[in-house]
Short mmCIF file of all heavy atoms in Angstrom, two decimals:
data_model
loop_
_atom_site.label_atom_id
_atom_site.label_comp_id
_atom_site.label_asym_id
_atom_site.label_seq_id
_atom_site.Cartn_x
_atom_site.Cartn_y
_atom_site.Cartn_z
N MET A 1287 0.86 -1.18 0.04
CA MET A 1287 -0.01 -0.02 -0.01
C MET A 1287 0.88 1.21 0.01
O MET A 1287 1.86 1.32 0.68
CB MET A 1287 -0.86 -0.05 1.26
CG MET A 1287 -1.82 1.07 1.31
SD MET A 1287 -2.95 1.03 2.77
CE MET A 1287 -2.86 -0.65 3.28
N SER A 1288 0.59 2.20 -0.84
CA SER A 1288 1.38 3.39 -0.89
C SER A 1288 0.80 4.54 0.01
O SER A 1288 -0.43 4.51 0.20
CB SER A 1288 1.54 3.83 -2.36
OG SER A 1288 0.30 4.32 -2.80
N ASP A 1289 1.65 5.51 0.31
CA ASP A 1289 1.18 6.66 1.04
C ASP A 1289 0.38 7.60 0.12
O ASP A 1289 -0.25 8.49 0.68
CB ASP A 1289 2.39 7.37 1.68
CG ASP A 1289 3.01 6.56 2.80
OD1 ASP A 1289 2.31 5.79 3.39
OD2 ASP A 1289 4.22 6.67 2.99
N ASP A 1290 0.40 7.39 -1.14
CA ASP A 1290 -0.29 8.25 -2.06
C ASP A 1290 -1.85 8.06 -1.90
O ASP A 1290 -2.56 9.04 -2.18
CB ASP A 1290 0.11 7.91 -3.50
CG ASP A 1290 1.52 8.19 -3.81
OD1 ASP A 1290 2.12 9.03 -3.09
OD2 ASP A 1290 2.05 7.64 -4.81
N ASN A 1291 -2.26 6.91 -1.52
CA ASN A 1291 -3.64 6.64 -1.39
C ASN A 1291 -3.95 5.97 -0.03
O ASN A 1291 -4.25 4.77 0.00
CB ASN A 1291 -4.14 5.79 -2.58
CG ASN A 1291 -5.64 5.72 -2.67
OD1 ASN A 1291 -6.34 6.45 -1.99
ND2 ASN A 1291 -6.14 4.77 -3.41
N PRO A 1292 -3.83 6.69 1.10
CA PRO A 1292 -4.00 5.96 2.35
C PRO A 1292 -5.41 5.58 2.57
O PRO A 1292 -6.31 6.16 2.06
CB PRO A 1292 -3.59 7.02 3.43
CG PRO A 1292 -3.76 8.37 2.67
CD PRO A 1292 -3.53 8.07 1.23
N LEU A 1293 -5.55 4.47 3.31
CA LEU A 1293 -6.94 3.97 3.61
C LEU A 1293 -7.50 4.69 4.77
O LEU A 1293 -6.83 5.13 5.70
CB LEU A 1293 -6.87 2.46 3.91
CG LEU A 1293 -6.37 1.58 2.83
CD1 LEU A 1293 -6.22 0.14 3.40
CD2 LEU A 1293 -7.33 1.54 1.68
N SER A 1294 -8.79 4.82 4.76
CA SER A 1294 -9.54 5.46 5.88
C SER A 1294 -9.67 4.35 6.99
O SER A 1294 -9.48 3.19 6.75
CB SER A 1294 -10.90 5.95 5.44
OG SER A 1294 -11.77 4.83 5.12
N ARG A 1295 -9.98 4.82 8.15
CA ARG A 1295 -10.17 3.93 9.25
C ARG A 1295 -11.28 2.84 8.96
O ARG A 1295 -11.04 1.62 9.18
CB ARG A 1295 -10.57 4.71 10.56
CG ARG A 1295 -10.96 3.89 11.78
CD ARG A 1295 -9.76 3.17 12.30
NE ARG A 1295 -10.17 2.25 13.31
CZ ARG A 1295 -10.08 2.46 14.62
NH1 ARG A 1295 -9.53 3.57 15.07
NH2 ARG A 1295 -10.48 1.53 15.50
N PRO A 1296 -12.45 3.23 8.41
CA PRO A 1296 -13.42 2.23 8.07
C PRO A 1296 -12.96 1.20 7.03
O PRO A 1296 -13.25 0.00 7.05
CB PRO A 1296 -14.60 2.96 7.54
CG PRO A 1296 -14.46 4.34 8.12
CD PRO A 1296 -13.01 4.58 8.28
N GLU A 1297 -12.12 1.67 6.04
CA GLU A 1297 -11.54 0.81 5.06
C GLU A 1297 -10.61 -0.23 5.64
O GLU A 1297 -10.61 -1.41 5.29
CB GLU A 1297 -10.90 1.58 3.92
CG GLU A 1297 -11.82 2.37 3.03
CD GLU A 1297 -11.10 3.32 2.13
OE1 GLU A 1297 -10.07 3.87 2.48
OE2 GLU A 1297 -11.63 3.52 0.98
N ILE A 1298 -9.82 0.28 6.59
CA ILE A 1298 -8.87 -0.58 7.29
C ILE A 1298 -9.64 -1.64 8.13
O ILE A 1298 -9.31 -2.82 8.10
CB ILE A 1298 -7.87 0.18 8.13
CG1 ILE A 1298 -6.92 1.03 7.30
CG2 ILE A 1298 -7.05 -0.73 9.08
CD1 ILE A 1298 -6.10 2.04 8.06
N ASP A 1299 -10.71 -1.21 8.84
CA ASP A 1299 -11.41 -2.09 9.62
C ASP A 1299 -12.10 -3.17 8.79
O ASP A 1299 -12.18 -4.35 9.16
CB ASP A 1299 -12.51 -1.36 10.39
CG ASP A 1299 -12.00 -0.52 11.59
OD1 ASP A 1299 -10.86 -0.81 11.95
OD2 ASP A 1299 -12.66 0.41 12.02
N ASP A 1300 -12.62 -2.80 7.59
CA ASP A 1300 -13.16 -3.78 6.64
C ASP A 1300 -12.13 -4.83 6.19
O ASP A 1300 -12.44 -6.03 6.14
CB ASP A 1300 -13.79 -3.07 5.43
CG ASP A 1300 -15.10 -2.34 5.70
OD1 ASP A 1300 -15.70 -2.53 6.79
OD2 ASP A 1300 -15.45 -1.51 4.90
N ARG A 1301 -10.96 -4.31 5.84
CA ARG A 1301 -9.90 -5.22 5.39
C ARG A 1301 -9.45 -6.16 6.52
O ARG A 1301 -9.21 -7.35 6.31
CB ARG A 1301 -8.76 -4.43 4.86
CG ARG A 1301 -9.09 -3.82 3.50
CD ARG A 1301 -7.86 -3.29 2.82
NE ARG A 1301 -8.26 -2.58 1.59
CZ ARG A 1301 -7.40 -2.27 0.64
NH1 ARG A 1301 -6.12 -2.51 0.79
NH2 ARG A 1301 -7.81 -1.63 -0.47
N ILE A 1302 -9.39 -5.66 7.69
CA ILE A 1302 -9.05 -6.45 8.85
C ILE A 1302 -10.12 -7.58 9.06
O ILE A 1302 -9.70 -8.74 9.27
CB ILE A 1302 -8.84 -5.60 10.15
CG1 ILE A 1302 -7.56 -4.80 10.05
CG2 ILE A 1302 -8.85 -6.51 11.41
CD1 ILE A 1302 -7.34 -3.75 11.13
N ALA A 1303 -11.32 -7.21 8.99
CA ALA A 1303 -12.43 -8.22 9.10
C ALA A 1303 -12.31 -9.28 8.07
O ALA A 1303 -12.44 -10.51 8.31
CB ALA A 1303 -13.79 -7.58 9.07
N ILE A 1304 -11.99 -8.87 6.78
CA ILE A 1304 -11.86 -9.86 5.68
C ILE A 1304 -10.67 -10.72 5.92
O ILE A 1304 -10.80 -11.99 5.77
CB ILE A 1304 -11.70 -9.05 4.36
CG1 ILE A 1304 -13.05 -8.42 3.98
CG2 ILE A 1304 -11.22 -10.04 3.28
CD1 ILE A 1304 -12.96 -7.37 2.84
N LEU A 1305 -9.55 -10.15 6.41
CA LEU A 1305 -8.38 -10.98 6.62
C LEU A 1305 -8.64 -12.02 7.74
O LEU A 1305 -8.22 -13.22 7.67
CB LEU A 1305 -7.19 -10.15 6.99
CG LEU A 1305 -6.56 -9.39 5.83
CD1 LEU A 1305 -5.62 -8.24 6.30
CD2 LEU A 1305 -5.86 -10.34 4.91
N ARG A 1306 -9.30 -11.60 8.80
CA ARG A 1306 -9.61 -12.52 9.89
C ARG A 1306 -10.49 -13.66 9.40
O ARG A 1306 -10.29 -14.82 9.79
CB ARG A 1306 -10.25 -11.77 11.06
CG ARG A 1306 -9.27 -10.89 11.83
CD ARG A 1306 -9.94 -10.18 13.00
NE ARG A 1306 -8.94 -9.50 13.73
CZ ARG A 1306 -9.22 -8.40 14.44
NH1 ARG A 1306 -10.41 -7.91 14.49
NH2 ARG A 1306 -8.26 -7.83 15.13
N ASP A 1307 -11.47 -13.35 8.52
CA ASP A 1307 -12.37 -14.36 8.03
C ASP A 1307 -11.52 -15.28 7.08
O ASP A 1307 -11.72 -16.51 7.14
CB ASP A 1307 -13.54 -13.70 7.24
CG ASP A 1307 -14.50 -14.81 6.87
OD1 ASP A 1307 -14.99 -15.55 7.73
OD2 ASP A 1307 -14.90 -14.83 5.69
N ASN A 1308 -10.68 -14.76 6.27
CA ASN A 1308 -9.74 -15.55 5.40
C ASN A 1308 -8.95 -16.48 6.21
O ASN A 1308 -8.83 -17.73 5.90
CB ASN A 1308 -8.89 -14.66 4.56
CG ASN A 1308 -9.57 -13.95 3.42
OD1 ASN A 1308 -10.76 -14.20 3.16
ND2 ASN A 1308 -8.92 -13.00 2.83
N ILE A 1309 -8.36 -16.01 7.28
CA ILE A 1309 -7.49 -16.86 8.14
C ILE A 1309 -8.33 -17.99 8.77
O ILE A 1309 -7.99 -19.15 8.77
CB ILE A 1309 -6.80 -16.00 9.17
CG1 ILE A 1309 -5.75 -15.09 8.58
CG2 ILE A 1309 -6.16 -16.92 10.23
CD1 ILE A 1309 -5.19 -14.05 9.47
N ARG A 1310 -9.53 -17.64 9.25
CA ARG A 1310 -10.45 -18.65 9.84
C ARG A 1310 -10.75 -19.73 8.82
O ARG A 1310 -10.67 -20.93 9.07
CB ARG A 1310 -11.72 -17.99 10.30
CG ARG A 1310 -12.69 -18.95 10.97
CD ARG A 1310 -14.09 -18.32 11.22
NE ARG A 1310 -14.67 -17.82 9.98
CZ ARG A 1310 -15.27 -18.53 9.06
NH1 ARG A 1310 -15.27 -19.88 9.11
NH2 ARG A 1310 -15.81 -17.95 7.93
N GLN A 1311 -11.11 -19.28 7.60
CA GLN A 1311 -11.39 -20.30 6.59
C GLN A 1311 -10.24 -21.16 6.17
O GLN A 1311 -10.36 -22.39 5.96
CB GLN A 1311 -11.92 -19.57 5.29
CG GLN A 1311 -13.24 -18.96 5.48
CD GLN A 1311 -13.74 -18.21 4.23
OE1 GLN A 1311 -13.38 -18.53 3.10
NE2 GLN A 1311 -14.57 -17.14 4.42
N LEU A 1312 -9.02 -20.51 6.17
CA LEU A 1312 -7.80 -21.32 5.74
C LEU A 1312 -7.51 -22.35 6.87
O LEU A 1312 -7.09 -23.43 6.61
CB LEU A 1312 -6.58 -20.37 5.56
CG LEU A 1312 -6.65 -19.54 4.30
CD1 LEU A 1312 -5.56 -18.45 4.38
CD2 LEU A 1312 -6.39 -20.43 3.07
N ILE A 1313 -7.76 -21.95 8.10
CA ILE A 1313 -7.47 -22.90 9.24
C ILE A 1313 -8.49 -24.04 9.15
O ILE A 1313 -8.13 -25.21 9.28
CB ILE A 1313 -7.57 -22.15 10.54
CG1 ILE A 1313 -6.38 -21.23 10.76
CG2 ILE A 1313 -7.65 -23.15 11.74
CD1 ILE A 1313 -6.48 -20.30 11.95
N GLU A 1314 -9.77 -23.75 8.84
CA GLU A 1314 -10.74 -24.85 8.64
C GLU A 1314 -10.38 -25.70 7.48
O GLU A 1314 -10.52 -26.96 7.64
CB GLU A 1314 -12.12 -24.21 8.40
CG GLU A 1314 -12.74 -23.59 9.66
CD GLU A 1314 -14.06 -22.94 9.40
OE1 GLU A 1314 -14.58 -22.96 8.30
OE2 GLU A 1314 -14.64 -22.28 10.37
N GLN A 1315 -9.89 -25.13 6.39
CA GLN A 1315 -9.49 -25.96 5.27
C GLN A 1315 -8.29 -26.86 5.62
O GLN A 1315 -8.27 -28.04 5.21
CB GLN A 1315 -9.12 -25.08 4.07
CG GLN A 1315 -10.32 -24.43 3.40
CD GLN A 1315 -9.85 -23.43 2.34
OE1 GLN A 1315 -8.71 -23.39 1.96
NE2 GLN A 1315 -10.82 -22.65 1.86
N ALA A 1316 -7.41 -26.26 6.35
CA ALA A 1316 -6.22 -27.02 6.70
C ALA A 1316 -6.53 -28.18 7.65
O ALA A 1316 -6.00 -29.26 7.56
CB ALA A 1316 -5.18 -26.12 7.45
N ALA A 1317 -7.55 -27.96 8.52
CA ALA A 1317 -8.01 -29.06 9.39
C ALA A 1317 -8.63 -30.15 8.62
O ALA A 1317 -8.57 -31.39 9.04
CB ALA A 1317 -8.91 -28.49 10.48
N GLY A 1318 -9.32 -29.83 7.54
CA GLY A 1318 -9.97 -30.84 6.72
C GLY A 1318 -9.20 -31.62 5.72
O GLY A 1318 -9.61 -32.58 5.16
N HIS A 1319 -8.03 -31.06 5.43
CA HIS A 1319 -7.12 -31.70 4.43
C HIS A 1319 -5.80 -32.09 5.01
O HIS A 1319 -5.29 -31.44 5.94
CB HIS A 1319 -6.85 -30.72 3.26
CG HIS A 1319 -8.10 -30.38 2.53
ND1 HIS A 1319 -8.78 -29.19 2.75
CD2 HIS A 1319 -8.82 -31.02 1.51
CE1 HIS A 1319 -9.84 -29.12 1.97
NE2 HIS A 1319 -9.84 -30.20 1.20
N SER A 1320 -5.21 -33.11 4.48
CA SER A 1320 -3.82 -33.45 4.92
C SER A 1320 -3.05 -33.77 3.67
O SER A 1320 -3.55 -33.98 2.59
CB SER A 1320 -3.90 -34.68 5.83
OG SER A 1320 -4.41 -35.79 5.16
N GLY A 1321 -1.74 -33.75 3.86
CA GLY A 1321 -0.80 -33.99 2.81
C GLY A 1321 0.26 -32.89 2.83
O GLY A 1321 -0.11 -31.69 3.04
N GLY A 1322 1.46 -33.26 2.70
CA GLY A 1322 2.61 -32.35 2.80
C GLY A 1322 2.43 -31.04 2.00
O GLY A 1322 2.60 -29.99 2.51
N GLN A 1323 2.17 -31.21 0.72
CA GLN A 1323 2.08 -30.05 -0.15
C GLN A 1323 0.92 -29.11 0.20
O GLN A 1323 1.02 -27.91 0.23
CB GLN A 1323 2.05 -30.42 -1.63
CG GLN A 1323 2.52 -29.42 -2.55
CD GLN A 1323 2.66 -29.98 -3.94
OE1 GLN A 1323 1.90 -30.88 -4.35
NE2 GLN A 1323 3.62 -29.55 -4.73
N THR A 1324 -0.20 -29.72 0.47
CA THR A 1324 -1.36 -28.97 0.87
C THR A 1324 -1.17 -28.22 2.15
O THR A 1324 -1.50 -27.04 2.30
CB THR A 1324 -2.62 -29.91 1.02
OG1 THR A 1324 -2.84 -30.58 -0.25
CG2 THR A 1324 -3.85 -29.14 1.39
N GLU A 1325 -0.62 -28.93 3.13
CA GLU A 1325 -0.29 -28.28 4.44
C GLU A 1325 0.63 -27.18 4.30
O GLU A 1325 0.44 -26.11 4.96
CB GLU A 1325 0.20 -29.39 5.44
CG GLU A 1325 -0.87 -30.34 5.88
CD GLU A 1325 -0.37 -31.42 6.73
OE1 GLU A 1325 0.81 -31.39 7.13
OE2 GLU A 1325 -1.13 -32.37 6.98
N GLU A 1326 1.67 -27.35 3.52
CA GLU A 1326 2.65 -26.25 3.32
C GLU A 1326 1.98 -25.08 2.64
O GLU A 1326 2.27 -23.93 3.02
CB GLU A 1326 3.82 -26.79 2.50
CG GLU A 1326 4.93 -25.77 2.31
CD GLU A 1326 6.12 -26.32 1.57
OE1 GLU A 1326 6.37 -27.53 1.50
OE2 GLU A 1326 6.86 -25.50 0.96
N ARG A 1327 1.19 -25.32 1.62
CA ARG A 1327 0.55 -24.19 0.92
C ARG A 1327 -0.38 -23.44 1.89
O ARG A 1327 -0.42 -22.24 1.86
CB ARG A 1327 -0.21 -24.74 -0.26
CG ARG A 1327 -0.87 -23.64 -1.15
CD ARG A 1327 -1.50 -24.15 -2.42
NE ARG A 1327 -2.55 -25.14 -2.16
CZ ARG A 1327 -2.54 -26.36 -2.54
NH1 ARG A 1327 -1.55 -26.85 -3.36
NH2 ARG A 1327 -3.54 -27.19 -2.28
N ASN A 1328 -1.20 -24.21 2.61
CA ASN A 1328 -2.09 -23.53 3.62
C ASN A 1328 -1.32 -22.79 4.65
O ASN A 1328 -1.74 -21.69 4.97
CB ASN A 1328 -3.00 -24.61 4.31
CG ASN A 1328 -4.16 -25.05 3.37
OD1 ASN A 1328 -4.53 -24.33 2.49
ND2 ASN A 1328 -4.71 -26.22 3.68
N SER A 1329 -0.19 -23.32 5.14
CA SER A 1329 0.60 -22.65 6.11
C SER A 1329 1.15 -21.36 5.55
O SER A 1329 1.15 -20.29 6.22
CB SER A 1329 1.71 -23.58 6.57
OG SER A 1329 2.56 -22.91 7.46
N ASP A 1330 1.64 -21.41 4.31
CA ASP A 1330 2.14 -20.20 3.63
C ASP A 1330 1.03 -19.13 3.45
O ASP A 1330 1.32 -17.92 3.72
CB ASP A 1330 2.74 -20.51 2.25
CG ASP A 1330 4.03 -21.31 2.33
OD1 ASP A 1330 4.65 -21.31 3.44
OD2 ASP A 1330 4.38 -21.84 1.32
N ARG A 1331 -0.13 -19.50 3.08
CA ARG A 1331 -1.24 -18.62 2.92
C ARG A 1331 -1.69 -18.01 4.21
O ARG A 1331 -1.95 -16.82 4.33
CB ARG A 1331 -2.45 -19.31 2.24
CG ARG A 1331 -2.12 -19.70 0.80
CD ARG A 1331 -3.21 -20.45 0.14
NE ARG A 1331 -4.47 -19.71 0.03
CZ ARG A 1331 -5.62 -20.30 -0.20
NH1 ARG A 1331 -5.75 -21.57 -0.33
NH2 ARG A 1331 -6.72 -19.48 -0.37
N ILE A 1332 -1.72 -18.82 5.30
CA ILE A 1332 -2.07 -18.30 6.63
C ILE A 1332 -1.08 -17.31 7.12
O ILE A 1332 -1.40 -16.24 7.63
CB ILE A 1332 -2.22 -19.46 7.61
CG1 ILE A 1332 -3.50 -20.28 7.31
CG2 ILE A 1332 -2.32 -18.97 9.06
CD1 ILE A 1332 -3.64 -21.59 8.03
N ALA A 1333 0.28 -17.58 6.89
CA ALA A 1333 1.28 -16.67 7.28
C ALA A 1333 1.20 -15.35 6.51
O ALA A 1333 1.35 -14.28 7.12
CB ALA A 1333 2.66 -17.30 7.00
N GLN A 1334 0.91 -15.40 5.22
CA GLN A 1334 0.75 -14.20 4.42
C GLN A 1334 -0.43 -13.34 4.89
O GLN A 1334 -0.27 -12.18 5.05
CB GLN A 1334 0.61 -14.60 2.95
CG GLN A 1334 0.41 -13.39 2.01
CD GLN A 1334 0.06 -13.92 0.61
OE1 GLN A 1334 -0.49 -14.93 0.36
NE2 GLN A 1334 0.53 -13.09 -0.36
N GLN A 1335 -1.54 -14.02 5.13
CA GLN A 1335 -2.71 -13.29 5.57
C GLN A 1335 -2.45 -12.68 7.01
O GLN A 1335 -2.88 -11.57 7.25
CB GLN A 1335 -3.93 -14.21 5.65
CG GLN A 1335 -4.34 -14.71 4.30
CD GLN A 1335 -5.06 -13.66 3.45
OE1 GLN A 1335 -6.13 -13.21 3.86
NE2 GLN A 1335 -4.50 -13.33 2.33
N SER A 1336 -1.76 -13.42 7.85
CA SER A 1336 -1.44 -12.95 9.18
C SER A 1336 -0.52 -11.74 9.14
O SER A 1336 -0.69 -10.80 9.88
CB SER A 1336 -0.79 -14.07 10.04
OG SER A 1336 -1.74 -15.11 10.24
N ASP A 1337 0.44 -11.75 8.26
CA ASP A 1337 1.37 -10.63 8.09
C ASP A 1337 0.56 -9.40 7.67
O ASP A 1337 0.84 -8.30 8.14
CB ASP A 1337 2.48 -10.95 7.04
CG ASP A 1337 3.49 -11.94 7.57
OD1 ASP A 1337 3.52 -12.24 8.77
OD2 ASP A 1337 4.26 -12.49 6.72
N GLU A 1338 -0.30 -9.56 6.71
CA GLU A 1338 -1.10 -8.42 6.26
C GLU A 1338 -2.01 -7.90 7.36
O GLU A 1338 -2.19 -6.74 7.55
CB GLU A 1338 -1.92 -8.85 5.04
CG GLU A 1338 -2.80 -7.73 4.45
CD GLU A 1338 -2.04 -6.59 3.76
OE1 GLU A 1338 -0.83 -6.69 3.66
OE2 GLU A 1338 -2.69 -5.65 3.37
N LEU A 1339 -2.58 -8.86 8.11
CA LEU A 1339 -3.42 -8.48 9.29
C LEU A 1339 -2.57 -7.64 10.27
O LEU A 1339 -3.04 -6.57 10.71
CB LEU A 1339 -3.98 -9.69 9.94
CG LEU A 1339 -4.83 -9.47 11.21
CD1 LEU A 1339 -6.00 -8.62 10.88
CD2 LEU A 1339 -5.23 -10.85 11.74
N ASP A 1340 -1.42 -8.11 10.61
CA ASP A 1340 -0.51 -7.33 11.52
C ASP A 1340 -0.21 -5.95 11.01
O ASP A 1340 -0.25 -4.99 11.77
CB ASP A 1340 0.74 -8.12 11.77
CG ASP A 1340 0.56 -9.39 12.56
OD1 ASP A 1340 -0.47 -9.51 13.20
OD2 ASP A 1340 1.50 -10.23 12.54
N ARG A 1341 0.08 -5.83 9.74
CA ARG A 1341 0.41 -4.57 9.12
C ARG A 1341 -0.78 -3.63 9.19
O ARG A 1341 -0.62 -2.45 9.60
CB ARG A 1341 0.86 -4.74 7.69
CG ARG A 1341 1.41 -3.46 6.96
CD ARG A 1341 1.67 -3.69 5.50
NE ARG A 1341 0.44 -3.93 4.80
CZ ARG A 1341 -0.41 -2.95 4.49
NH1 ARG A 1341 -0.23 -1.74 4.88
NH2 ARG A 1341 -1.50 -3.23 3.75
N LEU A 1342 -1.95 -4.04 8.85
CA LEU A 1342 -3.12 -3.21 8.90
C LEU A 1342 -3.54 -2.89 10.34
O LEU A 1342 -3.98 -1.78 10.53
CB LEU A 1342 -4.29 -3.92 8.17
CG LEU A 1342 -4.24 -3.95 6.66
CD1 LEU A 1342 -5.35 -4.83 6.07
CD2 LEU A 1342 -4.26 -2.51 6.09
N THR A 1343 -3.36 -3.76 11.22
CA THR A 1343 -3.64 -3.48 12.65
C THR A 1343 -2.74 -2.35 13.13
O THR A 1343 -3.15 -1.43 13.86
CB THR A 1343 -3.50 -4.77 13.54
OG1 THR A 1343 -4.40 -5.73 13.02
CG2 THR A 1343 -3.83 -4.47 14.98
N LYS A 1344 -1.46 -2.42 12.81
CA LYS A 1344 -0.51 -1.38 13.19
C LYS A 1344 -0.89 -0.06 12.51
O LYS A 1344 -0.87 1.01 13.18
CB LYS A 1344 0.94 -1.73 12.77
CG LYS A 1344 1.45 -2.80 13.66
CD LYS A 1344 2.85 -3.20 13.18
CE LYS A 1344 3.35 -4.40 13.93
NZ LYS A 1344 4.67 -4.89 13.43
N GLU A 1345 -1.29 -0.08 11.22
CA GLU A 1345 -1.72 1.14 10.54
C GLU A 1345 -2.92 1.72 11.21
O GLU A 1345 -3.05 2.95 11.43
CB GLU A 1345 -2.04 0.80 9.09
CG GLU A 1345 -2.31 2.02 8.29
CD GLU A 1345 -2.45 1.76 6.76
OE1 GLU A 1345 -1.88 0.78 6.29
OE2 GLU A 1345 -3.17 2.51 6.10
N ARG A 1346 -3.90 0.88 11.62
CA ARG A 1346 -5.15 1.35 12.26
C ARG A 1346 -4.77 1.94 13.62
O ARG A 1346 -5.33 3.00 13.99
CB ARG A 1346 -6.08 0.24 12.48
CG ARG A 1346 -7.41 0.66 13.16
CD ARG A 1346 -8.34 -0.48 13.45
NE ARG A 1346 -7.64 -1.41 14.40
CZ ARG A 1346 -8.12 -2.57 14.72
NH1 ARG A 1346 -9.26 -3.02 14.11
NH2 ARG A 1346 -7.51 -3.35 15.55
N ASP A 1347 -3.82 1.34 14.34
CA ASP A 1347 -3.43 1.91 15.67
C ASP A 1347 -2.76 3.29 15.51
O ASP A 1347 -3.00 4.17 16.29
CB ASP A 1347 -2.49 0.94 16.31
CG ASP A 1347 -3.14 -0.38 16.80
OD1 ASP A 1347 -4.40 -0.39 16.75
OD2 ASP A 1347 -2.43 -1.30 17.13
N GLU A 1348 -2.00 3.40 14.46
CA GLU A 1348 -1.34 4.74 14.12
C GLU A 1348 -2.40 5.79 13.88
O GLU A 1348 -2.27 6.92 14.27
CB GLU A 1348 -0.28 4.62 13.01
CG GLU A 1348 0.92 3.87 13.39
CD GLU A 1348 1.71 4.53 14.47
OE1 GLU A 1348 1.90 5.73 14.44
OE2 GLU A 1348 2.18 3.83 15.38
N LEU A 1349 -3.39 5.43 13.11
CA LEU A 1349 -4.53 6.37 12.81
C LEU A 1349 -5.24 6.80 14.10
O LEU A 1349 -5.68 7.92 14.22
CB LEU A 1349 -5.51 5.73 11.81
CG LEU A 1349 -5.10 5.76 10.31
CD1 LEU A 1349 -6.14 5.02 9.54
CD2 LEU A 1349 -5.02 7.18 9.82
N SER A 1350 -5.39 5.84 14.99
CA SER A 1350 -6.09 6.19 16.22
C SER A 1350 -5.30 7.13 17.09
O SER A 1350 -5.91 7.88 17.85
CB SER A 1350 -6.27 4.87 17.04
OG SER A 1350 -7.14 4.00 16.33
N LYS A 1351 -4.01 7.18 16.93
CA LYS A 1351 -3.16 8.08 17.74
C LYS A 1351 -3.23 9.50 17.26
O LYS A 1351 -2.93 10.41 17.96
CB LYS A 1351 -1.70 7.60 17.74
CG LYS A 1351 -1.51 6.30 18.46
CD LYS A 1351 -0.07 5.90 18.36
CE LYS A 1351 0.14 4.51 19.08
NZ LYS A 1351 1.56 4.07 18.91
N LYS A 1352 -3.67 9.69 15.99
CA LYS A 1352 -3.67 11.02 15.41
C LYS A 1352 -4.87 11.86 15.82
O LYS A 1352 -5.90 11.44 16.15
CB LYS A 1352 -3.62 10.93 13.90
CG LYS A 1352 -2.28 10.35 13.39
CD LYS A 1352 -2.26 10.31 11.93
CE LYS A 1352 -0.94 9.71 11.42
NZ LYS A 1352 -0.86 9.66 9.98
#
């Protein structure tokens, strides 16, 4: 995300909700499937979504301080 087009607080909240739902769904999928490659792919996707969630949470916290 660039500073040229910052997100508003409601947009950040919406994206955070979407990411949390994505992570929940990925965890459910991972619990239902097994196999090395599938587990690795799900793990990578969960990590990616978690990183984005952390980044947006920090951005939201910074907006709250202003």
Side-chain angles (χ1 to χ4, degrees):
M1287 183 178 339
S1288 70
D1289 291 331
D1290 296 339
N1291 191 15
L1293 296 173
S1294 68
R1295 173 69 188 259
E1297 290 171 324
I1298 291 172
D1299 288 339
D1300 287 346
R1301 288 189 182 195
I1302 287 172
I1304 290 167
L1305 286 165
R1306 286 181 175 154
D1307 189 52
N1308 287 350
I1309 292 168
R1310 181 192 56 77
Q1311 290 178 29
L1312 288 167
I1313 290 170
E1314 288 176 3
Q1315 288 174 9
H1319 296 98
S1320 63
Q1323 203 171 35
T1324 301
E1325 289 175 9
E1326 184 177 335
R1327 185 175 58 240
N1328 283 338
S1329 178
D1330 289 345
R1331 291 174 66 196
I1332 291 169
Q1334 180 185 29
Q1335 296 285 297
S1336 294
D1337 289 346
E1338 180 69 4
L1339 176 61
D1340 291 343
R1341 188 186 67 73
L1342 285 173
T1343 301
K1344 288 176 186 176
E1345 186 175 333
R1346 181 185 63 188
D1347 292 346
E1348 288 298 316
L1349 281 175
S1350 296
K1351 292 178 184 179
K1352 293 182 180 181

